[in-house]
Amino acid sequence: DQQVKQNSPSLSVQEGRISILNCDYTNSMFDYFLWYKKYPAEGPTFLISISSIKDKNEDGRFTVFLNKSAKHLSLHIVPSQPGDSAVYFCAHQGGKLIFGQGTELSVKP
Amino acid sequence: DGGITQSPKYLFRKEGQNVTLSCEQNLNHDAMYWYRQDPGQGLRLIYYSQIVNDFQKGDIAEGYSVSREKKESFPLTVTSAQKNPTAFYLCASPRVGPGELFFGEGSRLTVL
């Protein structure tokens, strides 16, 4: 059974600090891992992805780390900004796209 | 300006009524998807269509129906058989990269 878990429903961070959002998965056959960002009453938008052959991918303030031995994925946002406040979903693509439950990030000025 | 348009954005219905949510895309994409978002449960796949006149059930298809008569349109009907229809519904279509989806703005359905 393919499972994706985001065990922290919420995270609060001070502006300028690092935000770390975590995601665990169970199926090692996934090919791609993705992060989506969602504001209230809007559709999610694709943020960043990483292939299972890599362990890091960086795009500006956003870096995704993949630890295959631990079956763990994390998204780092540095420095965090108030506009980053949103719900973040991790997702795994390996046949079909499976989403985690989401983590609501709040960045306080 | 290419995109996915969902309507209505907000919808209220009484128990026992069917309701149809519209999804239109001008991206010329073959594939279209319907997801449901509930608090604390992420996004769950209801139905998907890879090509016109063809569609498949997703993980939570019970109580829903779809049609795909035109490439641009993929309407979702929430029937009275859906036990807990109050949710945020999202229509999506694949982008270039694997797993990358382009989402519409969503439709919030509330059953009174």
Side-chain angles (χ1 to χ4, degrees):
Chain A
D1 186 28
Q2 301 175 352
Q3 284 199 10
V4 175
K5 288 186 177 179
Q6 294 176 256
N7 292 317
S8 297
S10 63
L11 174 68
S12 183
V13 172
Q14 204 68 32
E15 182 179 6
R17 300 290 188 107
I18 185 171
S19 295
I20 301 176
L21 298 109
N22 295 302
C23 181
D24 297 304
Y25 60 95
T26 57
N27 190 327
S28 299
M29 296 303 292
F30 290 119
D31 296 323
Y32 280 88
F33 301 83
L34 306 98
W35 285 94
Y36 283 83
K37 175 180 179 179
K38 184 184 180 302
Y39 292 116
E42 293 185 10
T45 55
F46 168 73
L47 190 58
I48 191 170
S49 67
I50 186 168
S51 165
S52 59
I53 63 173
K54 295 185 176 182
D55 53 20
K56 177 183 175 181
N57 188 27
E58 191 172 353
D59 183 3
R61 296 186 297 115
F62 302 91
T63 303
V64 56
F65 295 92
L66 177 61
N67 183 335
K68 289 185 282 294
S69 61
K71 296 185 181 179
H72 180 80
L73 185 74
S74 63
L75 174 68
H76 292 210
I77 306 173
V78 180
S80 301
Q81 299 173 354
D84 296 330
S85 297
V87 177
Y88 290 80
F89 292 98
C90 68
H92 295 176
Q93 171 75 51
K96 65 176 181 177
L97 193 60
I98 308 292
F99 286 88
Q101 303 93 321
T103 296
E104 183 171 8
L105 173 65
S106 176
V107 180
K108 301 192 182 304
Chain B
D1 210 12
I4 296 177
T5 302
Q6 290 187 240
S7 62
K9 193 166 178 67
Y10 299 96
L11 185 62
F12 298 87
R13 89 154 204 220
K14 295 180 180 179
E15 279 192 32
Q17 289 181 335
N18 292 356
V19 62
T20 297
L21 307 178
S22 169
C23 177
E24 303 281 328
Q25 56 105 350
N26 58 3
L27 302 166
N28 200 31
H29 287 179
D30 287 314
M32 296 181 77
Y33 299 78
W34 273 106
Y35 285 89
R36 168 180 172 144
Q37 186 200 359
D38 295 281
Q41 294 200 51
L43 304 174
R44 293 182 291 168
L45 183 64
I46 305 172
Y47 265 99
Y48 63 101
S49 169
Q50 301 282 39
I51 199 167
V52 175
N53 292 321
D54 186 53
F55 49 82
Q56 278 79 43
K57 293 181 179 180
D59 300 317
I60 54 164
E62 185 176 351
Y64 299 99
S65 66
V66 294
S67 63
R68 189 82 189 278
E69 297 176 1
K70 298 186 299 181
K71 190 175 186 178
E72 304 79 24
S73 180
F74 190 40
L76 173 75
T77 297
V78 185
T79 75
S80 56
Q82 168 51 232
K83 300 291 185 225
N84 186 19
T86 294
F88 191 57
Y89 290 88
L90 289 156
C91 181
S93 188
R95 291 170 60 123
V96 176
E100 293 183 32
L101 291 177
F102 187 84
F103 284 89
E105 292 287 293
S107 294
R108 179 163 295 282
L109 172 64
T110 302
V111 175
L112 304 172

